[in-house]
Amino acid sequence: MGAQNSSVQRTVMQNKILDLEKKYFKILENVFLSDLFIDDLLIMEKEIRENYPKFKSTWNLKNKLKVPAERLVRHHVYTQLHSIITGIYPSPISSDLGIMTEDCILCIDVKTVDTIGNSVDIKSTQVEPNQIS
């Protein structure tokens, strides 16, 4: 949203979509900056740090944070936004999490950065088609 050329004329529908993006980015920001989310994030960090050698020897995934981060986001979106969720988006070609609300289908793709095991993550996060707004 930030790099859009504001001199280009938009249609009414494009403006509605932009308004929905602003609305849901704000809602998600509130979830991800909540004390509940941050507390759980710190618990997850502690668990991974304390058990990293065991995880490394049994789980051949470079980024040990990927799956727990997806679970954490899913949990907090479901618990904190349950009042606005009208259903689960069932499409297999969607992000890590897809929910329906009364005014949109919201797809969330969780991205983590591994600055030690994959230092290129620092400069750019890899995204596939349709994984960003």
Side-chain angles (χ1 to χ4, degrees):
M1 286 180 6
Q4 292 176 349
N5 182 348
S6 59
S7 67
V8 175
Q9 288 290 337
R10 293 185 305 262
T11 67
V12 171
M13 184 56 74
Q14 288 170 326
N15 284 330
K16 285 182 182 180
I17 292 169
L18 288 173
D19 289 343
L20 285 170
E21 285 181 342
K22 288 176 194 173
K23 172 184 174 179
Y24 283 100
F25 270 106
K26 184 64 180 164
I27 288 170
L28 291 172
E29 179 181 43
N30 289 337
V31 170
F32 301 138
L33 293 178
S34 72
D35 290 341
L36 292 168
F37 183 85
I38 291 170
D39 289 347
D40 281 349
L41 189 63
L42 292 171
I43 290 168
M44 184 176 69
E45 177 191 28
K46 183 176 183 278
E47 171 74 16
I48 291 171
R49 284 184 187 274
E50 289 176 355
N51 294 293
Y52 193 86
K54 180 175 72 173
F55 294 151
K56 187 175 181 181
S57 67
T58 59
W59 192 23
N60 192 24
L61 182 65
K62 275 180 118 177
N63 188 342
K64 306 296 187 258
L65 184 60
K66 180 183 183 320
V67 172
E70 290 172 3
R71 290 180 183 153
L72 181 68
V73 167
R74 190 175 299 114
H75 169 74
H76 280 276
V77 167
Y78 289 156
T79 57
Q80 293 188 47
L81 302 184
H82 65 90
S83 63
I84 65 169
I85 297 172
T86 60
I88 301 302
Y89 184 54
S91 174
I93 25 181
S94 67
S95 300
D96 297 327
L97 171 62
I99 59 172
M100 296 186 295
T101 69
E102 73 174 31
D103 55 3
C104 80
I105 293 172
L106 182 62
C107 292
I108 301 169
D109 201 76
V110 179
K111 296 295 181 191
T112 57
V113 176
D114 180 0
T115 59
I116 295 169
N118 196 20
S119 60
V120 297
D121 281 354
I122 296 170
K123 293 183 182 175
S124 66
T125 302
Q126 298 299 313
V127 294
E128 294 182 28
N130 301 318
Q131 287 190 330
I132 57 172
S133 171

